[in-house]
Amino acid sequence: MKKLLVLLMGVAIVIAITACGSKETKPVETNTPAATTQAAGGQNVVLKATNFKFDQAEYRVKKGEPVTITLDNSQGIHGASIKEFNMKLDNSNKTFTFTPEKTGSFPITCSIMCGSGHANMKTTLIVE
Ligand SMILES: [Cu+2]
């Protein structure tokens, strides 16, 4: 009698596991190599800022096509500046559109004294 109970429990467990397994969906791949998308109106780059870094080590765009850079302060208050293109973003001025006419890598730095990690808040815009 006891053996039968154990067997039934075993079967129930197997069914439960199988049922769960079939419901499982594969996670959607959202990890694009860089936060750049080619929209109809040009290229879009979102600089997602947290304490104390930008979400990507580099952001790639194409030369000769308009780029809109958006600052997204998801943690803390940060700014973003690219000296080469006279860009200065902060919470009151979150987007900047320009057309890079030269290739190269251009440093993006935080332009607001945001705390202890401020000096290391750097990333790069790569125009290719
Ligand atoms: Cu800062």
Side-chain angles (χ1 to χ4, degrees):
M1 194 60 203
K2 211 174 177 188
K3 270 185 184 170
L4 185 67
L5 197 66
V6 170
L7 184 72
L8 281 173
M9 277 171 70
V11 169
I13 288 167
V14 168
I15 289 170
I17 290 169
T18 323
C20 267
S22 66
K23 273 181 210 156
E24 219 171 74
T25 48
K26 277 184 183 171
V28 181
E29 273 286 332
T30 50
N31 220 6
T32 44
T36 345
T37 47
Q38 189 86 42
Q43 312 174 83
N44 285 296
V45 171
V46 177
L47 306 174
K48 196 171 181 183
T50 53
N51 294 334
F52 295 93
K53 64 184 181 71
F54 294 101
D55 65 329
Q56 308 275 344
E58 56 184 45
Y59 300 84
R60 286 172 185 272
V61 295
K62 288 193 181 77
K63 179 192 155 187
E65 291 175 26
V67 182
T68 298
I69 297 186
T70 304
L71 175 67
D72 173 14
N73 271 325
S74 60
Q75 182 194 41
I77 296 170
H78 309 281
S81 106
I82 306 175
K83 277 194 185 134
E84 199 78 28
F85 300 113
N86 280 321
M87 181 191 89
K88 258 198 163 192
L89 298 178
D90 56 38
N91 272 348
S92 58
N93 179 31
K94 290 184 181 179
T95 64
F96 177 71
T97 302
F98 70 108
T99 304
E101 297 296 356
K102 52 190 165 190
T103 57
S105 45
F106 306 96
I108 303 174
T109 54
C110 176
S111 55
I112 294 172
M113 184 57 212
C114 54
S116 59
H118 174 69
N120 298 319
M121 253 191 100
K122 290 171 188 161
T123 180
T124 307
L125 181 76
I126 296 176
V127 181
E128 51 196 5

